[in-house]
Amino acid sequence: MKLLTLETTCDETAAAVVDDRLHVLGSVVASQDDLHRRYGGVVPEIASRAHLERILPIIDRTLQQAGIGLEQLDAVAVASTPGLAGSLLVGLVAAKTLCVVLDIPLITFNHLQAHVYACRLASGREVFPCVGLIVSGGHTSLYRCPNPLEFELLGATIDDAAGEAFDKVANMLGLPYPGGPSIQRAAQRGNPAAYRFPRALVRDTERLDFSFSGLKTAVRYTIAGPGRPDFEKVKLSDQQVADLAASFQEAVVDCLVAKAFLALDQTGMRVLCVGGGVAANARLRQRLAEEAQRRDVQLHIAPKELCTDNAVMGAIAVERFKAGRFEPLDVDIQPGVERKTG
Ligand code: KG4
Ligand code: ZN
């Protein structure tokens, strides 16, 4: 069985071909970083137009890599939630069209659940049941995942996503976009204890939510100094930038580590899977590894190329294929993030 998977939720246009044994036969990712860099963040209209130009050539290249023709596909799967509306639509319409033309079933999947599944792919063995922590530019969410078809949202950010905070703080510090890698680089020369930034909700041992907007504001006020709201005019030394980057990074990492292990305590699960662009962060990886070892928790963090957006993680659709979970051709996108129930 061969599946074409498509990913167009945000600013990466990606396609992959995977088989029922989770072998990756082809995978192509086109990043749009160069198109959005000058704006310091993803511009939705630019993103959807770029997807439109790229999706068909990328599907072609992926099939070529896999050495197969369209007629050898058994189904097409596409990430249909959550994401930017215009971007999601391009992927879904491409998938539906292929399904109509080839007369094969359509599968949709949740992009965040696919990020958790990236750990299953990378580890090469079973990771379920597990707690999934997804930290990206658009999302910071914790899931209880009893099996690859069942995901219960345990908590999420109530304001900014962790990656969004990295990007915005990098901008304040005059560091290039995307902010995560820039802050990580600057932080290597900095002192994480130089500034004491807030760790929102960390002392709340019931709730599994995150909040990063107060932290972002705290960095802004620290740069401006008392009574100087026009922080753009402040000139920071290289050492100040490094110390601010390191102190900010440490605060984000503290929050992520605390809530991930609280989720493990609350669910009684012993396996933690981490994905999303921010999971590429070296300090986060180090702290999670230390804590997992201390608590005898099995930790799976996807390798960098599977942490950032890609279509290989769409292999979660293999599980849906096996369970016969197909979608009608009038299925729609769901741009918004799901909310906790109960
Ligand atoms: O998962 P992703 O590629 O796209 C979204 O779905 O959002 O994540 C992109 C985010 C950006 O905010 C970027 O700054 C962040 O991941 N990121 C990092 C690192 N590498 C990428 N954040 C912290 N440290 C990194 N090394
Ligand atoms: Zn993502």
Side-chain angles (χ1 to χ4, degrees), residues 220-221 223-234:
R220 191 185 179 108
Y221 284 153
I223 297 172
R228 286 171 58 190
D230 52 346
F231 82 106
E232 281 91 352
K233 296 192 186 123
V234 177

Short mmCIF file of all heavy atoms in Angstrom, two decimals, residues 220-221 223-234:
data_model
loop_
_atom_site.label_atom_id
_atom_site.label_comp_id
_atom_site.label_asym_id
_atom_site.label_seq_id
_atom_site.Cartn_x
_atom_site.Cartn_y
_atom_site.Cartn_z
N ARG A 220 10.52 42.79 26.95
CA ARG A 220 10.38 44.12 26.35
C ARG A 220 10.65 45.22 27.38
O ARG A 220 11.40 46.16 27.13
CB ARG A 220 8.96 44.26 25.80
CG ARG A 220 8.75 45.46 24.94
CD ARG A 220 7.28 45.57 24.55
NE ARG A 220 7.10 46.76 23.74
CZ ARG A 220 6.86 46.75 22.44
NH1 ARG A 220 6.77 45.62 21.81
NH2 ARG A 220 6.72 47.87 21.79
N TYR A 221 10.06 45.07 28.57
CA TYR A 221 10.26 46.09 29.62
C TYR A 221 11.68 46.06 30.17
O TYR A 221 12.21 47.09 30.57
CB TYR A 221 9.21 45.91 30.73
CG TYR A 221 7.84 46.42 30.31
CD1 TYR A 221 6.68 45.89 30.86
CD2 TYR A 221 7.71 47.41 29.34
CE1 TYR A 221 5.42 46.35 30.46
CE2 TYR A 221 6.46 47.86 28.93
CZ TYR A 221 5.33 47.33 29.49
OH TYR A 221 4.11 47.78 29.09
N ILE A 223 14.32 45.41 28.39
CA ILE A 223 15.13 46.12 27.40
C ILE A 223 14.92 47.63 27.53
O ILE A 223 15.87 48.42 27.53
CB ILE A 223 14.75 45.69 25.95
CG1 ILE A 223 15.05 44.21 25.74
CG2 ILE A 223 15.50 46.54 24.92
CD1 ILE A 223 14.53 43.65 24.42
N ALA A 224 13.66 48.04 27.70
CA ALA A 224 13.34 49.47 27.75
C ALA A 224 13.86 50.12 29.02
O ALA A 224 14.27 51.29 29.01
CB ALA A 224 11.83 49.65 27.64
N GLY A 225 13.86 49.36 30.12
CA GLY A 225 14.23 49.96 31.41
C GLY A 225 13.06 50.76 31.95
O GLY A 225 12.10 51.05 31.23
N PRO A 226 13.12 51.12 33.26
CA PRO A 226 11.98 51.80 33.88
C PRO A 226 11.68 53.13 33.20
O PRO A 226 12.59 53.92 32.92
CB PRO A 226 12.43 51.99 35.33
CG PRO A 226 13.87 51.64 35.38
CD PRO A 226 14.24 50.90 34.15
N GLY A 227 10.40 53.35 32.89
CA GLY A 227 9.96 54.63 32.33
C GLY A 227 10.43 54.90 30.92
O GLY A 227 10.42 56.04 30.46
N ARG A 228 10.89 53.85 30.20
CA ARG A 228 11.34 54.08 28.81
C ARG A 228 10.63 53.12 27.86
O ARG A 228 11.21 52.14 27.42
CB ARG A 228 12.85 53.88 28.72
CG ARG A 228 13.63 55.04 29.35
CD ARG A 228 15.09 54.69 29.45
NE ARG A 228 15.67 54.38 28.16
CZ ARG A 228 16.89 53.85 28.01
NH1 ARG A 228 17.61 53.57 29.07
NH2 ARG A 228 17.37 53.61 26.82
N PRO A 229 9.37 53.41 27.57
CA PRO A 229 8.62 52.45 26.75
C PRO A 229 9.10 52.35 25.30
O PRO A 229 8.82 51.38 24.62
CB PRO A 229 7.18 52.99 26.81
CG PRO A 229 7.31 54.42 27.21
CD PRO A 229 8.59 54.59 27.96
N ASP A 230 9.85 53.37 24.81
CA ASP A 230 10.28 53.31 23.40
C ASP A 230 11.57 52.48 23.29
O ASP A 230 12.64 52.97 22.99
CB ASP A 230 10.47 54.70 22.80
CG ASP A 230 11.37 55.57 23.65
OD1 ASP A 230 11.62 55.19 24.82
OD2 ASP A 230 11.82 56.61 23.15
N PHE A 231 11.38 51.16 23.52
CA PHE A 231 12.55 50.28 23.63
C PHE A 231 13.30 50.12 22.31
O PHE A 231 14.45 49.72 22.28
CB PHE A 231 12.11 48.91 24.18
CG PHE A 231 11.55 47.99 23.16
CD1 PHE A 231 12.30 46.92 22.72
CD2 PHE A 231 10.29 48.21 22.60
CE1 PHE A 231 11.80 46.06 21.76
CE2 PHE A 231 9.80 47.35 21.65
CZ PHE A 231 10.54 46.28 21.22
N GLU A 232 12.64 50.46 21.19
CA GLU A 232 13.29 50.31 19.89
C GLU A 232 14.58 51.13 19.81
O GLU A 232 15.49 50.82 19.06
CB GLU A 232 12.36 50.75 18.75
CG GLU A 232 11.30 49.73 18.36
CD GLU A 232 10.01 49.90 19.14
OE1 GLU A 232 10.00 50.73 20.09
OE2 GLU A 232 9.02 49.21 18.81
N LYS A 233 14.63 52.22 20.62
CA LYS A 233 15.80 53.10 20.51
C LYS A 233 16.96 52.64 21.40
O LYS A 233 18.04 53.22 21.36
CB LYS A 233 15.40 54.53 20.92
CG LYS A 233 14.37 55.12 19.97
CD LYS A 233 14.20 56.61 20.18
CE LYS A 233 13.06 57.13 19.32
NZ LYS A 233 12.03 57.80 20.10
N VAL A 234 16.72 51.63 22.22
CA VAL A 234 17.77 51.19 23.14
C VAL A 234 18.82 50.38 22.38
O VAL A 234 18.49 49.50 21.60
CB VAL A 234 17.15 50.31 24.26
CG1 VAL A 234 18.23 49.79 25.19
CG2 VAL A 234 16.11 51.10 25.03
#
